[in-house]
Amino acid sequence: MTTTTYSVNGMTCGHCSAAVTEELGKLPGVQEVKIDLNAGGTSAVHVTSETALDDAAVREAVDEAGYELAGSGS
């Protein structure tokens, strides 16, 4: 298992978090998504998966939810 933290812009509420969680949860191998919501700012999204995720797939999933991936990281 690996946990990667991504920065996402534009989320402001629990509904926003749920939308991002749902889209990321559809990616192959994703086991858990936890979000540290920073309403109106950059939120930390922690994704635990079986293997490292493709950044392009994560970006596409976040975009599908209506938000912007600001960066990926550790």
Side-chain angles (χ1 to χ4, degrees):
M1 292 291 205
T2 182
T3 299
T4 306
T5 301
Y6 299 92
S7 298
V8 177
N9 292 327
M11 294 189 293
T12 59
C13 65
H15 180 266
C16 301
S17 296
V20 170
T21 298
E22 179 181 350
E23 290 301 325
L24 289 172
K26 293 178 184 177
L27 295 177
V30 171
Q31 301 295 309
E32 181 177 47
V33 178
K34 289 186 178 180
I35 298 177
D36 295 330
L37 183 64
N38 179 13
T42 301
S43 299
V45 179
H46 312 282
V47 182
T48 302
S49 56
E50 294 172 358
T51 60
L53 298 173
D54 178 65
D55 282 343
V58 172
R59 185 174 301 280
E60 186 175 324
V62 170
D63 184 61
E64 183 66 27
Y67 305 98
E68 176 187 3
L69 186 66
S72 61
S74 47

